[in-house]
Amino acid sequence: MWGQGAGGEDKDFEEAISKVTTDQWALFLDAFELGLSSPPGVWHGLEALDSAQVGDVMRFPWLDSPQQLTQFVKLAYEFGLVVPFDWMSWPIPLDDGRVTVTSPIDAVKILTCAIRENGFNEGLLESLVSGGELRPVYMVLNATFGSARNHSSE
């Protein structure tokens, strides 16, 4: 499902994580938590697959993601938590088929992989949310930066 091979430089992730302010962590973690509890998206266009050909153009079904998930992804990009690296060749850390997250760097790498791959595999992010694979990512980030949610303004 996810890529295998070498990953990005940890220093790039450390730098990205260090640039996120306390207030931004609070907003991001709130959005992440809401995203984890979001309802499933709605697929459109499935009912008309037999008439998907319109002239020379083929229409494909599309997914309307819930607003909570869309906001979480938007903030991840806005706060620099989707870090450029060869995400397709990084081996997602798994233990018995479950994602293992041991550090904020792992968490941000996994987020980057999930968000970027969702662009090519529509619905993957929702599948990871509903399957619980992103919960360990949230747990590590919340344990590390969750105190930001109890403070206002830096």
Side-chain angles (χ1 to χ4, degrees):
M1 173 163 108
W2 290 353
Q4 299 297 314
E9 296 291 326
D10 284 355
K11 65 180 175 54
D12 295 336
F13 292 89
E14 290 171 357
E15 183 178 330
I17 290 167
S18 71
K19 288 181 179 178
V20 180
T21 68
T22 302
D23 287 346
Q24 288 172 328
W25 276 117
L27 287 170
F28 179 74
L29 289 169
D30 286 346
F32 197 166
E33 186 173 36
L34 283 173
L36 288 175
S37 62
S38 65
V42 177
W43 283 95
H44 299 282
L46 294 173
E47 65 283 347
L49 283 181
D50 56 340
S51 62
Q53 188 77 26
V54 179
D56 291 336
V57 178
M58 178 64 123
R59 294 183 316 164
F60 291 96
W62 70 94
L63 178 68
D64 272 343
S65 292
Q67 182 180 4
Q68 300 93 320
L69 203 54
T70 303
Q71 178 66 11
F72 154 70
V73 171
K74 176 182 173 273
L75 290 177
Y77 275 109
E78 185 178 322
F79 298 156
L81 294 172
V82 179
V83 179
F85 83 108
D86 186 8
W87 59 272
M88 290 177 60
S89 63
W90 183 65
I92 300 292
L94 299 174
D95 182 24
D96 274 340
R98 303 295 294 171
V99 173
T100 58
V101 186
T102 59
S103 70
I105 290 172
D106 280 351
V108 173
K109 283 182 179 182
I110 292 166
L111 278 179
T112 297
C113 290
I115 290 170
R116 294 288 294 129
E117 188 165 334
N118 189 66
F120 299 95
N121 184 1
E122 190 171 30
L124 173 71
L125 196 56
E126 289 187 340
S127 173
L128 296 173
V129 165
S130 66
E133 284 89 352
L134 291 184
R135 183 148 298 278
V137 172
Y138 170 78
M139 299 302 286
V140 166
L141 292 176
N142 191 48
T144 307
F145 305 106
S147 63
R149 299 165 94 181
N150 301 323
H151 300 88
S152 60
S153 294
E154 286 188 89

